[in-house]
């Protein structure tokens, strides 16, 4: 079968089966009459693991493969994990008789007389696969087509083709995929508007120095996801619900740059985040452990799983250490992902929708006349010093880390839990680090951005506060215990 035909068939399989089932239901009153449930071989022994972990591993690899900004990644994680959670909730409602926490959108008490082989696994896996196929398997999206990769991971898990028939597609998976897709259609994530920078000192602009470049843009108009703050949230009332106010109190760029606090902020990152000493900055105020932590949390470049992926990996590592089961994992990963997605929206609101779109430390230090040779520690895959391609305030890493920590400490009922975390960053010299609390991990994550030279201290501090507020909103309003 030609590749384009297989992709088209994969994308429409659920729709066609659901339509056929609807016709039979109208005629007979039961989707059971549509077709007998096909026999299913047991899941290959080498594939046995928690399906929530498996499909989040698939998602992290998709992040590595497609690259791009972190906020669309957080949206994808929320769509997949919330759909997985609703699918698992449907399974619990159908075969265990009840749910212990409310669904995100809707749980389906679907048709069936007997539980099929590996049904929980199939309900979760086929939901996850189809959500990811809709997001990353269509060449009309901004991403490279990941259909072949997703198909391969499906076959690895199930030992069958994703286009092979399965009764759960008709009875429950189609509903789970459709309700999530419908909920996010037209959410503003495809906004084509182009950013226009404020042309004045203090305002962010794409870095154009010969020895320091922006990570993914040459022009201000290429800023990454500048209107994402207007995207429909998953749990917040709006992207501005918890908008931080530290910079807005200054009113104008001129007042900000004239303030003593701004000068302290610039001096702090100048001495802590420099790549190397210069004549104007002869001393770097950064310990060897802070240097190691800076790279441990980086994950800025393509080919890594970026900050949302690192938070999903952290969730997995804590979950495995605590021995969570499938239903518990589905809820935990959904809560974390919803918080990450809404944090991404809130962060972009703070960066682009407020009166001050703050420039990066490199611009502040060089154009402020403090050190014309200063460079941030952060580098791209070619070893060139870089800045992220969007304003500094607030820090996305800090906010994502705090959102993760906020969900984790509320979910487990304590912040004081020790755990090991790992990193995907190739420049990290220490690949595993021990933390004694969720908040401690988030704090180091936030501070790492200062040590990398791409953020001011208030970017980190206010990012931590923002992320925790989002986490509290998600945890207290979504997926609540019944």
């Amino acid at each position: 079968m030609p590749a384009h035909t297989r992709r088209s068939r994969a994308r429409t399989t659920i729709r066609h089966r659901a339509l056929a089932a609807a016709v039979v239901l109208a005629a007979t009153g039961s989707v059971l009459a549509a077709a007998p449930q096909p026999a299913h071989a047991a899941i290959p022994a080498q594939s046995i693991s928690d399906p929530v972990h498996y499909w989040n591993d698939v998602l992290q690899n998709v992040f590595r493969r497609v690259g791009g900004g972190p906020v669309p990644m957080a949206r994808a994680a929320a769509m997949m994990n919330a759909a997985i959670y609703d699918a698992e909730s449907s399974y619990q409602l159908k075969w265990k008789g009840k749910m212990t926490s409310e669904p995100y959108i809707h749980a389906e008490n679907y048709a069936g007389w007997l539980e099929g082989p590996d049904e929980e696994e199939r309900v979760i896996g086929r939901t996850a696969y189809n959500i990811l196929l809709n997001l990353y398997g269509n060449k009309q999206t901004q991403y490279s087509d990941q259909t072949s990769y997703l198909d391969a991971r499906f076959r690895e898990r199930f030992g069958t083709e994703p286009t092979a028939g399965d009764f759960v597609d008709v009875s429950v998976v189609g509903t789970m995929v459709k309700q999530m897709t419908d909920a996010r259609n037209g959410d503003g994530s495809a906004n084509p508007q182009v950013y226009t920078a404020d042309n004045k000192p203090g305002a962010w602009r794409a870095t154009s120095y010969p020895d320091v470049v922006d990570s993914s843009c040459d022009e201000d108009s290429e800023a990454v996801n500048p209107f994402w703050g207007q995207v429909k949230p998953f749990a917040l009332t709006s992207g501005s619900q918890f908008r931080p106010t530290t910079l807005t109190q200054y009113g104008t760029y001129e007042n900000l740059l004239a303030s003593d606090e701004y000068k302290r902020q610039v001096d702090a990152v100048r001495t802590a985040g420099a790549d190397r000493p210069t004549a104007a900055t002869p001393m770097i105020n950064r310990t060897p452990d802070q240097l190691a932590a800076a790279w441990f949390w980086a994950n800025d470049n393509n080919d890594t799983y970026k900050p949302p992926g690192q938070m999903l990996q952290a969730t997995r590592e804590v979950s495995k250490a605590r021995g969570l089961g499938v239903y518990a994992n589905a809820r935990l990963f959904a809560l974390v992902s919803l918080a990450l997605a809404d944090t991404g929206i809130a962060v972009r609101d703070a960066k682009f929708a407020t009166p001050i779109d703050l420039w990066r430390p490199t611009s502040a230090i060089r154009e402020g006349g403090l050190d014309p040779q200063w460079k941030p520690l952060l580098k791209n895959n070619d070893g060139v010093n870089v800045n992220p391609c969007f304003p500094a305030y607030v820090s996305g890493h800090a906010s994502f880390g705090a959102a993760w920590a906020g969900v984790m400490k509320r979910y487990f009922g304590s912040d004081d839990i020790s755990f090991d975390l790992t990193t995907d960053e190739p420049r990290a010299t220490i690949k595993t680090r021990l933390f004694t609390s969720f908040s401690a991990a988030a704090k180091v994550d936030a501070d790492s951005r200062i040590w990398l030279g791409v953020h001011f201290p208030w970017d980190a501090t206010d990012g931590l506060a923002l992320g925790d507020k989002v986490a509290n909103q998600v945890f207290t309003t979504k997926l609540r215990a019944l």
Side-chain angles (χ1 to χ4, degrees), residues 367-388:
E367 297 185 30
L370 298 175
D371 187 346
Q373 296 179 309
W374 192 91
K375 295 189 288 187
L377 175 63
L378 185 64
K379 299 177 179 67
N380 63 19
N381 291 332
D382 296 323
V384 178
N385 302 82
V386 297
N387 291 306

Side-chain angles (χ1 to χ4, degrees), residues 196-438:
T196 301
D198 298 326
N199 186 23
K200 56 181 61 180
W204 177 82
R205 72 281 311 271
T207 306
S208 57
Y209 305 109
D211 55 344
V212 182
V213 300
D214 268 65
S215 58
S216 56
C217 67
D218 298 317
E219 304 290 339
D220 301 345
S221 60
E222 297 173 333
V224 176
N225 304 125
F227 298 98
W228 202 268
Q230 300 173 16
V231 169
K232 174 186 173 183
F234 287 79
L236 301 185
T237 58
S238 70
S240 62
Q241 183 177 354
F242 300 119
R243 180 183 288 175
T245 60
T246 296
L247 297 191
T248 57
Q249 66 181 323
Y250 293 98
T252 66
Y253 290 104
E254 292 79 8
N255 290 341
L256 174 69
L257 268 59
S259 70
D260 291 337
E261 182 55 36
Y262 169 78
K263 295 170 186 176
R264 283 191 289 268
Q265 294 281 321
V266 174
D267 191 59
V269 67
R270 180 171 72 90
T271 57
D275 183 19
R276 57 176 59 93
T278 65
T281 310
M283 297 293 294
I284 299 178
N285 184 27
R286 183 178 59 222
T287 68
D289 184 64
Q290 290 170 342
L291 176 62
W295 286 117
F296 179 89
W297 289 105
N299 293 296
D300 283 87
N301 296 320
N302 291 338
D303 302 323
T304 70
Y305 47 33
K306 300 293 181 80
Q310 189 167 24
M311 295 299 94
L312 294 175
Q313 179 65 20
T315 306
R316 177 179 184 171
E317 287 162 349
V318 174
S319 163
K320 292 185 72 172
R322 306 293 291 182
L324 268 59
V326 175
Y327 192 16
N329 272 326
R331 180 170 179 257
L332 177 59
F333 274 81
L335 285 168
V336 166
S337 299
L338 293 170
L340 294 177
D342 275 5
T343 295
I345 295 169
V347 165
R348 280 308 195 267
D349 173 83
K351 286 182 181 295
F352 288 103
T354 56
I356 294 176
D357 297 354
L358 185 63
W359 60 10
R360 292 282 174 173
T362 302
S363 299
I365 293 166
R366 289 194 172 195
E367 297 185 30
L370 298 175
D371 187 346
Q373 296 179 309
W374 192 91
K375 295 189 288 187
L377 175 63
L378 185 64
K379 299 177 179 67
N380 63 19
N381 291 332
D382 296 323
V384 178
N385 302 82
V386 297
N387 291 306
C389 188
F390 36 81
Y393 184 85
V394 291
S395 165
H397 275 70
S399 303
F400 283 134
W404 173 81
V407 168
M408 297 297 280
K409 68 186 180 183
R410 289 170 174 86
Y411 183 94
F412 289 105
S414 174
D415 190 25
D416 299 324
I417 295 175
S418 296
F419 49 88
D420 288 321
L421 297 183
T422 59
T423 184
D424 200 33
E425 171 58 54
R427 291 181 180 272
T429 56
I430 299 174
K431 298 294 187 179
T432 302
R433 295 178 71 92
L434 171 67
F435 297 95
T436 57
S437 72
F438 300 118

Side-chain angles (χ1 to χ4, degrees), residues 70-134:
V71 292
M73 295 178 177
R75 174 182 180 267
M79 290 181 66
M80 187 192 79
N81 280 308
I84 284 177
Y85 174 72
D86 281 358
E88 171 65 11
S89 297
S90 300
Y91 171 83
Q92 293 289 326
L93 180 63
K94 176 62 182 177
W95 299 115
K96 306 305 176 183
K98 66 175 183 178
M99 300 178 297
T100 58
S101 49
E102 63 187 15
Y104 175 65
I105 299 177
H106 167 71
E108 185 78 2
N109 191 356
Y110 56 95
W113 294 110
L114 296 172
E115 181 179 349
D118 300 318
E119 184 158 329
E120 182 179 30
E121 169 79 36
R122 287 157 44 221
V123 167
I124 289 175
R126 298 182 80 91
T127 297
Y129 166 84
N130 280 285
I131 290 290
L132 294 181
L133 188 68
N134 288 342

